[in-house]
Amino acid sequence: MKKKNLLWKLFVSTFYISAFTFGGGYVIVSLMKKKFVDEYHWIEEEEMLDLIAIAQSSPGAIAVNGAIVVGYKLAGMIGAATAILATILPPFLILSILSVFYNAFQDNFLVSQMLNGMQAGVGAVIASVVYDMGRGVLKEKDPLSMVIMAGAFMVVCVFEVNVIYVVIASGLIGAVRTWIQERRAKA
């Protein structure tokens, strides 16, 4: 596919996903996976999980970070810029319009009920993302990855440790493991 066509398709896809994603960055992850892995086959599922892990461990919104790493993977810096623009335009436009009418919507019963219903749907989509990512780890059948996943869940949910520390610790464990594996391969 020509780079111009790829960039246009990346822009339209990312714009569409961003325009119809409600509930935060984790919701966009499953939609990006469906579009870029399942539909277009631009990225393998395992690689998508790696890219999302990078996006999640970087500062900033996961939707924008995810778009950056996917766009960069597909078309370099111009792909990253295209994906960023397509990701931030819809919320910018929608929030600009909504902010003008905020006072009118603030106490509207119908709008508040609609938002409550959307929260339930978003919870289901986030659960789907967790299921997909967890299933990917379990498919690898790597004991250390399973221990990291279970341990991270435990320290976040039971002991309420800040997610930042969990991400950093998990990254360090992965780095040490890779370093050890490389040393063993050279020996």
Side-chain angles (χ1 to χ4, degrees):
M1 178 183 297
K2 290 184 178 180
K3 193 166 189 171
K4 187 176 180 181
N5 290 342
L6 173 70
L7 290 173
W8 177 248
K9 204 168 187 178
L10 176 64
F11 180 86
V12 170
S13 299
T14 311
F15 187 93
Y16 177 81
I17 290 169
S18 181
F20 294 102
T21 301
F22 295 91
Y26 292 103
V27 176
I28 204 169
V29 170
S30 68
L31 297 175
M32 290 174 91
K33 179 200 168 287
K34 286 179 182 163
K35 184 63 79 176
F36 302 135
V37 175
D38 300 338
E39 186 178 330
Y40 292 152
H41 306 287
W42 286 344
I43 301 172
E44 296 294 322
E45 184 170 353
E46 187 174 320
E47 188 174 20
M48 182 71 181
L49 292 174
D50 291 343
L51 294 175
I52 296 305
I54 292 168
Q56 185 177 6
S57 60
S58 302
I62 191 169
V64 176
N65 292 348
I68 290 169
V69 294
V70 169
Y72 185 81
K73 162 73 174 122
L74 294 173
M77 288 301 289
I78 190 75
T82 300
I84 290 169
L85 183 63
T87 302
I88 63 172
L89 269 177
F92 175 77
L93 295 172
I94 292 168
L95 287 173
S96 295
I97 292 167
L98 288 178
S99 67
V100 172
F101 299 105
Y102 177 73
N103 288 333
F105 291 131
Q106 182 177 348
D107 298 320
N108 186 300
F109 177 77
L110 182 61
V111 171
S112 68
Q113 293 305 306
M114 188 173 75
L115 292 173
N116 284 339
M118 289 171 69
Q119 285 177 356
V122 166
V125 172
I126 291 172
S128 173
V129 170
V130 170
Y131 174 77
D132 285 345
M133 293 180 81
R135 188 179 64 191
V137 170
L138 294 175
K139 273 185 183 178
E140 290 177 18
K141 296 182 181 169
D142 176 28
L144 182 58
S145 293
M146 290 183 210
V147 168
I148 292 170
M149 182 175 67
F153 178 81
M154 184 69 91
V155 298
V156 169
C157 292
V158 176
F159 299 109
E160 298 180 3
V161 173
N162 190 313
V163 176
I164 294 170
Y165 301 128
V166 174
V167 169
I168 291 170
S170 299
L172 289 173
I173 292 168
V176 168
R177 176 169 95 173
T178 301
W179 179 74
I180 291 171
Q181 288 173 340
E182 287 178 357
R183 294 217 40 195
R184 285 182 183 163
K186 288 179 184 178

